[in-house]
Amino acid sequence: MKASDVRAKTEDQLKDDLAALKKEQFNLRFQRATGQLENTARVRQVRREIAQLKTILREKRTSANA
């Protein structure tokens, strides 16, 4: 997911993506706890994508208020 693609989305789309990533993160944590996680790198990737979405959401909110 590129930052330019994320910046082109609306706030509602970003919130939907964020909710989906948080759900995936929960499932990955559950898989890791039960020993069923195959792609361990995905945990880190999802965590970074969540941070990226939160950062861009915050930027959009502050630019709208300014």
Side-chain angles (χ1 to χ4, degrees):
M1 181 171 14
K2 291 188 175 185
S4 58
D5 297 337
V6 176
R7 288 185 203 285
K9 294 184 178 185
T10 65
E11 278 193 45
D12 290 334
Q13 290 172 329
L14 292 175
K15 288 178 185 176
D16 292 341
D17 290 348
L18 184 60
L21 283 171
K22 285 187 176 255
K23 188 172 185 176
E24 182 180 355
Q25 184 183 36
F26 173 79
N27 289 332
L28 289 171
R29 281 198 320 254
F30 196 83
Q31 287 176 8
R32 182 169 45 183
T34 58
Q36 297 174 346
L37 184 62
E38 293 177 10
N39 185 3
T40 56
R42 183 66 184 149
V43 175
R44 184 177 188 186
Q45 191 176 22
V46 168
R47 194 171 67 234
R48 288 178 180 216
E49 288 177 10
I50 289 172
Q52 183 181 37
L53 281 178
K54 283 184 172 183
T55 300
I56 292 172
L57 259 173
R58 186 172 182 278
E59 286 175 358
K60 284 184 178 275
R61 287 183 186 144
T62 56
S63 67
N65 292 339

